[in-house]
């Protein structure tokens, strides 16, 4: 490839795989602490669940935050790798990933206050406890919309880089098409309401194609060989 180095690909691949690892670890701890899908209509039980497993929830947020910081770095690494040959779509892709990382990081900072708020809610009684519910509701709504907006940008970033993959001969075009498909599934999962007993499972399954694609693309970048 013209003007591209193997190091640019490998750094991008390593960062992408680290994003996947941190997201997976965060999801594991989150599922152990509380429902993966917070419900503003059931704030009392959500706060009680968070307070009961405060440490796990904090660990989940910490790994979540790490993945978003890595996403910011990933945006620059992917632009460095692909922007020299396909500048415009790489620039848009990097911008979307950067916006995703910044938005998700910003909203995640507020999440660190949620475990303490949940602890106060459990320890207080009567009106003092009830007064915390509106604050908790606003935090949960902020989290929900922060995730929607952040992952919307992430999905758009993936689509732009998948266009780059389709324009770059050494990469398998199937990888590009699968990435676009995964991004579309993610966008549907973000904005189509999911209710019912199995909403956590359905939400998780809807995000699996994107995670699988990220791992596949990350491995491809790490193992990339010049002329392959």
């Amino acid at each position: 490839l013209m003007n591209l180095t193997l190091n640019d690909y490998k750094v991008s691949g390593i960062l992408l795989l680290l994003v996947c690892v941190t997201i997976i670890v965060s999801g594991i701890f989150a599922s152990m602490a509380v429902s993966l899908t917070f419900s503003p209509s059931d704030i009392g039980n959500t706060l009680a669940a968070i307070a009961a497993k405060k440490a796990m929830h904090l660990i989940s947020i910490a790994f979540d935050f790490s993945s978003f910081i890595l996403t910011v770095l990933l945006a620059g690494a992917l632009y460095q790798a692909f922007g020299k040959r396909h500048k415009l779509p790489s620039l848009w892709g990097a911008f979307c990933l950067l916006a995703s990382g910044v938005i998700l990081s910003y909203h995640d900072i507020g999440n660190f206050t949620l475990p303490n708020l949940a602890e106060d809610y459990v320890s207080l009684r009567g009106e003092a406890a009830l007064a915390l519910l509106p604050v908790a509701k606003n935090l949960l709504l902020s989290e929900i919309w922060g995730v929607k907006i952040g992952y919307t940008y992430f999905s758009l970033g993936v689509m732009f880089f998948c266009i780059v993959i389709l324009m770059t001969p050494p990469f398998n075009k199937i990888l590009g098409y699968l990435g676009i498909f995964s991004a579309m599934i993610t966008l549907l999962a973000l904005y189509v309401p999911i209710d019912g007993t199995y909403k956590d499972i359905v939400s998780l399954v809807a995000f699996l194609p994107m995670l699988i694609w990220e791992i596949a693309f990350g491995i491809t970048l790490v193992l990339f060989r010049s002329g392959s």
Side-chain angles (χ1 to χ4, degrees), residues 190-202:
L190 287 173
Y191 293 100
V192 175
I194 301 173
D195 297 313
T197 306
Y198 301 104
K199 65 179 181 179
D200 283 1
I201 297 175
V202 173

Side-chain angles (χ1 to χ4, degrees), residues 13-37:
I14 291 170
L15 286 172
L16 185 54
L17 291 176
L18 285 174
V19 168
C20 296
V21 170
T22 50
I23 283 292
I24 291 171
V25 174
S26 173
I28 291 172
F29 278 99
S31 63
M32 293 168 65
V34 68
S35 172
L36 287 172
T37 53

Side-chain angles (χ1 to χ4, degrees), residues 168-192:
T168 308
F171 291 96
N172 195 320
K173 288 189 176 183
I174 294 178
L175 195 61
Y177 291 124
L178 287 177
I180 293 173
F181 172 77
S182 300
M184 293 175 64
I185 294 295
T186 300
L187 288 172
L188 284 174
L190 287 173
Y191 293 100
V192 175

Side-chain angles (χ1 to χ4, degrees), residues 6 24 26 31 42 56-59 63 78-80 95 98 100 116 144 153 155 175 188-189 198 206 218 221:
L6 292 179
I24 291 171
S26 173
S31 63
D42 192 19
M56 289 185 180
H57 192 73
L58 285 171
I59 292 172
F63 275 99
L78 285 174
Y79 179 75
Q80 178 66 22
F95 169 77
L98 177 63
S100 171
N116 290 330
I144 290 171
Y153 274 109
S155 299
L175 195 61
L188 284 174
Y198 301 104
L221 290 171

Side-chain angles (χ1 to χ4, degrees), residues 16-228:
L16 185 54
L17 291 176
L18 285 174
V19 168
C20 296
V21 170
T22 50
I23 283 292
I24 291 171
V25 174
S26 173
I28 291 172
F29 278 99
S31 63
M32 293 168 65
V34 68
S35 172
L36 287 172
T37 53
F38 296 152
S39 174
S41 62
D42 192 19
I43 300 173
N45 287 334
T46 299
L47 291 177
I50 292 173
K53 297 181 179 179
K54 179 181 176 181
M56 289 185 180
H57 192 73
L58 285 171
I59 292 172
S60 170
I61 296 173
F63 275 99
D64 227 16
F65 187 76
S66 299
S67 74
F68 303 147
I69 297 300
L70 288 168
T71 300
V72 172
L73 299 176
L74 176 66
L78 285 174
Y79 179 75
Q80 178 66 22
F82 292 99
K84 297 171 185 176
R85 191 173 186 183
H86 303 294
K87 187 171 184 179
L88 189 58
S90 297
L91 183 61
W92 278 108
F95 169 77
C96 290
L97 291 182
L98 177 63
S100 171
V102 171
I103 291 170
L104 290 168
S105 298
Y106 178 78
H107 101 80
D108 221 24
I109 292 173
N111 289 342
F112 281 102
T113 65
L114 195 56
N116 290 330
L117 184 65
E119 216 170 40
D120 290 341
Y121 171 78
V122 172
S123 62
L124 295 173
R125 293 291 183 272
E127 293 185 1
L130 293 176
L132 295 177
L133 292 180
V135 179
K137 183 175 182 178
N138 287 334
L139 280 173
L140 292 177
L141 288 173
S142 174
E143 173 164 0
I144 290 171
W145 279 104
V147 167
K148 283 186 177 182
I149 296 170
Y151 278 106
T152 295
Y153 274 109
F154 187 88
S155 299
L156 292 175
V158 167
M159 286 184 177
F160 278 114
F161 277 111
C162 283
I163 292 173
V164 174
I165 291 173
L166 294 174
M167 297 166 62
T168 308
F171 291 96
N172 195 320
K173 288 189 176 183
I174 294 178
L175 195 61
Y177 291 124
L178 287 177
I180 293 173
F181 172 77
S182 300
M184 293 175 64
I185 294 295
T186 300
L187 288 172
L188 284 174
L190 287 173
Y191 293 100
V192 175
I194 301 173
D195 297 313
T197 306
Y198 301 104
K199 65 179 181 179
D200 283 1
I201 297 175
V202 173
S203 298
L204 182 62
V205 170
F207 284 94
L208 277 179
M210 177 65 78
L211 181 61
I212 293 171
W213 178 84
E214 289 177 55
I215 293 172
F217 187 39
I219 293 173
T220 299
L221 290 171
V222 170
L223 299 181
F224 180 81
R225 293 288 183 272
S226 180
S228 61

